[in-house]
DNA sequence: CCGACTTTGTGCATCTCTTCACAAAGGCAC
DNA sequence: GTGCCTTTGTGAAGAGATGCACAAAGTCGG
């Protein structure tokens, strides 16, 4: 029974750290634009809205890139974090579902600026296919698999209604995609090697409502009884991007 | 020095649990629509995509609403979770920034279906003010404070460009709002009693890219040296909802 | 070259969240 | 009733994240 000793440069950055790296990157880019050359963990932590000890521990997972007594070189750190996140290469992204949300995403500037390139827009509605959005022509969802393979798409954004999401998901996985960003309000079932990240407006609002209620009233009404009239809220809402299909 | 003993029905549901309750609620609504009367923790856990022990522990924080040997009454559990989340009351929501994203949000069906009512749309661009979106007329951002007070808005969604977000944030907080959903890619500075939740597409994509890179290559290139030519990615992207102002 | 000062990187204690495993509770068949 | 079977609710162990506090490492003025 040997003791588990963590390697200095072991592959395995904690998820919580990975989730914060983009935040640091953004703060660093802000500093770089203002011409700052070096930054202390304290200052960077404030800019990113985290604790400075946490920031230092996070960065220590990437390597020892700071200089004691001075801080971190902004440009160098930007490069190291970008490299770790895989932003030094280009990622082809496809957006499926060109409803309100799909359009918003296609026009999103932050996409292009960071190594993410929109390589395709898809919808199942013939009325939308052929339309030109953000310099791209919307293609019919039938061609999904072939286009994914042909253009080397590795990340797919699902912005379809909830009902279509799982089917789209299955198809893009069959085409070899292993990274999915899901905006549809459903739990996607995927194999273990596929990463799904979920963005769900409705859930965020409900979490806010919980805290708001707590602040307002010191908790929900105390009784556990049913009220006289129970109104059951139904799951009638379409996906955020209510596209066709 | 007394030991801290958790009360049985203490007000204080873990954050991780609160974040999952909406997920359970959605799964339960799906079951209710299909006419299911009772459900076991195992089945509900599968539907919500979590571990069944976790689900039971989560629910146990609300109270003891299950029946051993049987499971949970779907309708009753829907009611209890809704009540805990504060969805049995109506929340007035204002959306600030009517760009691509703002429009998508205003048209989002899931909003209305769950006790959230869009009570106002705001933008600083005169070209957008007056436009009719999802049955509402876009108002000028100047009237933000008075409308918030008048219509009892308690949750504000910020869908402005990054540059305007902090200013909007300060103003709505001054008007009494303590719950904010922020889509702009900036860290908002707020007092302790204000809750901010952040939705950031760019960050989600970067996290996916990290995992994708790991899967593809077994890690980033090994050297720690600078490449000959360093391209620094700039933070040029506008907010997801690139509205005016 | 030295000593004062700054800031990193990390060991450690703490806290939170997750998962296991099982006793207790309840339904149901007979 | 009685006993078997199912499923909850939870104690306890484990895993992971956080934050403190400080030694080690480096800068800089003189």
């Amino acid at each position: 029974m040997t003791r588990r000793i963590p390697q200095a440069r072991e592959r395995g950055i904690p998820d919580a750290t990975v989730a914060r790296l983009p935040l640091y990157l953004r703060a660093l880019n802000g500093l770089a634009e203002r011409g700052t050359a070096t930054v202390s963990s304290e200052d960077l932590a404030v800019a990113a809205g985290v604790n400075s000890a946490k920031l230092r521990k996070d960065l220590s997972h990437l390597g020892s890139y700071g200089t004691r007594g001075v801080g971190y070189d902004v440009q160098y750190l930007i490069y190291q974090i970008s490299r770790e996140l895989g932003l030094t290469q280009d990622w082809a992204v496809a957006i499926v579902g060109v409803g309100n949300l799909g359009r918003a995403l296609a026009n999103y500037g932050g996409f292009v600026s960071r190594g993410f390139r929109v390589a395709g827009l898809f919808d199942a509605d013939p009325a939308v296919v052929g339309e030109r959005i953000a310099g791209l022509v919307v293609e019919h969802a039938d061609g999904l698999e072939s286009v994914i393979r042909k253009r080397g798409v590795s990340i797919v954004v699902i912005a379809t209604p909830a009902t279509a999401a799982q089917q789209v998901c299955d198809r893009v996985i069959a085409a070899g995609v292993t990274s999915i960003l899901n905006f549809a309000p459903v739990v996607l079932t995927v194999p273990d090697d596929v990463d799904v990240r979920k963005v769900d407006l409705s859930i965020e609002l409900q979490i806010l409502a919980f805290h708001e209620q707590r602040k307002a009233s010191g908790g929900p009404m105390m009784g556990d009884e049913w009220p006289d009239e129970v109104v059951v809220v139904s799951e009638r809402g379409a996906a955020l991007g209510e596209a066709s299909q």
Side-chain angles (χ1 to χ4, degrees), chain A residues 92-109:
Chain A
V93 177
I95 299 174
V96 185
V98 189
N100 279 305
L101 178 65
R103 280 161 219 267
L105 297 176
N107 285 306
Y108 179 35

Side-chain angles (χ1 to χ4, degrees), chain A residues 24 41 45 49-56:
Chain A
Y24 304 152
S41 63
V50 301
N51 175 302
S52 71
K54 181 151 59 181
L55 173 87
R56 286 197 299 278

Side-chain angles (χ1 to χ4, degrees), chain A residues 7 9 12 17 22 37 48 55 60 82-83 97 118 123 126 141 144 155 159 184 210 213 230 238:
Chain A
Q7 297 287 338
R9 200 70 171 77
T17 295
L55 173 87
S60 78
S82 296
R83 188 171 60 84
V118 181
D123 205 298
L144 204 48
I155 300 176
F210 172 83
Q213 168 174 258
V230 176

Side-chain angles (χ1 to χ4, degrees), chain A residues 218-229:
Chain A
M221 60 168 152
M222 276 304 152
D224 281 352
E225 294 77 34
W226 284 79
D228 292 323
E229 184 191 18

Side-chain angles (χ1 to χ4, degrees), chain A residues 1-126:
Chain A
M1 186 62 132
T2 44
R3 199 71 150 50
R4 178 87 173 67
I5 296 165
Q7 297 287 338
R9 200 70 171 77
E10 185 180 18
R11 287 286 121 209
I13 298 174
D15 285 347
T17 295
V18 173
R20 281 187 296 266
L21 291 180
L23 220 58
Y24 304 152
L25 194 51
R26 172 172 300 155
L28 285 165
N29 278 319
L31 290 167
E33 272 182 36
R34 286 200 294 282
T36 312
T38 42
V39 65
S40 71
S41 63
E42 184 58 39
D43 292 350
L44 183 53
V46 169
V50 301
N51 175 302
S52 71
K54 181 151 59 181
L55 173 87
R56 286 197 299 278
K57 187 151 289 187
D58 282 344
L59 294 183
S60 78
H61 285 114
L62 311 192
S64 202
Y65 298 142
T67 307
R68 293 169 192 236
V70 177
Y72 300 88
D73 182 284
V74 173
Q75 296 296 328
Y76 186 56
L77 197 52
I78 286 176
Y79 170 68
Q80 289 298 348
I81 295 179
S82 296
R83 188 171 60 84
E84 197 68 46
L85 286 173
L87 305 182
T88 49
Q89 60 186 284
D90 224 54
W91 299 100
V93 177
I95 299 174
V96 185
V98 189
N100 279 305
L101 178 65
R103 280 161 219 267
L105 297 176
N107 285 306
Y108 179 35
F111 247 169
V112 201
S113 73
R114 265 255 179 31
F116 298 102
R117 181 171 43 86
V118 181
L121 300 175
F122 297 90
D123 205 298
D125 183 355

Side-chain angles (χ1 to χ4, degrees), chain A residues 95-100 103 121-133 137-144 159-161 164 167-168 171 241-245:
Chain A
I95 299 174
V96 185
V98 189
N100 279 305
R103 280 161 219 267
L121 300 175
F122 297 90
D123 205 298
D125 183 355
V128 180
V129 173
E131 197 177 328
R132 194 174 196 84
I133 296 171
V137 175
V138 178
E139 300 166 74
H140 194 278
D142 286 348
L144 204 48
T160 65
Q167 192 204 335
V168 168
R171 287 179 56 195
E242 45 210 328
S244 57
Q245 172 56 254

